[in-house]
């Protein structure tokens, strides 16, 4: 069977929206009470890192030393759940203790394995 890249991309995009919608529902009690959002942001960031690792492994053989995640992608997902300022998260112990580094100049988040 032949599947076009465009239809596959559309299918993946709808799946991402569906997952984000489910996450919004699951975490709504935390978001509505304005509790600490760092745990939620870390969960999303870890998912993005995992997706990037899977993609990188499929394209390159060998060990992956560093994973690069677009800060813009995380910020877009954060805005979808009404989190607009990620600076406190980027400097939090939670972020740093999970081996993430924010490169403000290049607008990427690095995860060292």
């Amino acid at each position: 069977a032949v599947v076009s890249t465009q239809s596959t991309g559309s299918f993946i995009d709808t799946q991402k929206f569906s997952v984000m919608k489910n996450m919004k529902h699951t975490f709504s009690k935390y978001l509505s009470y304005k509790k600490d959002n760092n745990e939620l942001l870390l969960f999303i960031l870890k998912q993005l890192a995992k997706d990037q690792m899977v993609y990188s492994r499929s394209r390159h053989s060998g060990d992956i030393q560093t994973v690069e995640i677009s800060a813009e992608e995380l910020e877009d997902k954060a805005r979808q759940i009404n989190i607009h300022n990620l600076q406190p998260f980027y400097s939090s112990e939670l972020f740093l203790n999970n081996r993430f580094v924010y490169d403000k100049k290049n607008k990427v988040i690095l995860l060292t394995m």
Side-chain angles (χ1 to χ4, degrees):
V2 176
V3 177
S4 76
T5 305
Q6 186 176 16
S7 65
T8 304
S10 297
F11 174 75
I12 291 169
D13 287 344
T14 59
Q15 297 308 303
K16 288 180 184 178
F17 179 76
S18 174
V19 169
M20 184 57 73
K21 197 170 155 186
N22 287 338
M23 284 176 55
K24 278 184 187 180
H25 178 71
T26 301
F27 292 103
S28 64
K29 63 182 176 185
Y30 298 109
L31 297 172
S32 62
Y33 290 109
K34 300 292 182 195
K35 297 225 178 189
D36 184 7
N37 291 321
N38 287 351
E39 289 284 342
L40 179 56
L41 290 170
L42 181 64
F43 175 80
I44 295 168
L45 180 56
K46 283 183 173 182
Q47 287 299 117
L48 292 172
K50 181 181 169 190
D51 292 347
Q52 188 61 40
M53 274 189 274
V54 169
Y55 175 75
S56 295
R57 283 188 180 132
S58 72
R59 298 192 41 101
H60 309 287
S61 61
D63 288 338
I64 298 169
Q65 300 298 318
T66 304
V67 176
E68 188 174 293
I69 301 111
S70 163
E72 185 176 327
E73 189 173 359
L74 176 63
E75 291 163 7
D76 285 345
K77 291 189 179 297
R79 276 191 295 276
Q80 291 175 9
I81 54 174
N82 207 25
I83 301 173
H84 299 281
N85 181 9
L86 273 69
Q87 292 308 315
F89 175 63
Y90 292 147
S91 59
S92 71
E93 282 187 35
L94 188 64
F95 180 80
L96 300 172
N97 288 344
N98 280 278
R99 300 183 323 268
F100 289 104
V101 176
Y102 177 54
D103 179 347
K104 189 173 185 175
K105 179 183 172 196
N106 295 311
K107 297 186 180 187
V108 295
I109 300 163
L110 303 170
L111 171 61
T112 305
M113 306 312 257

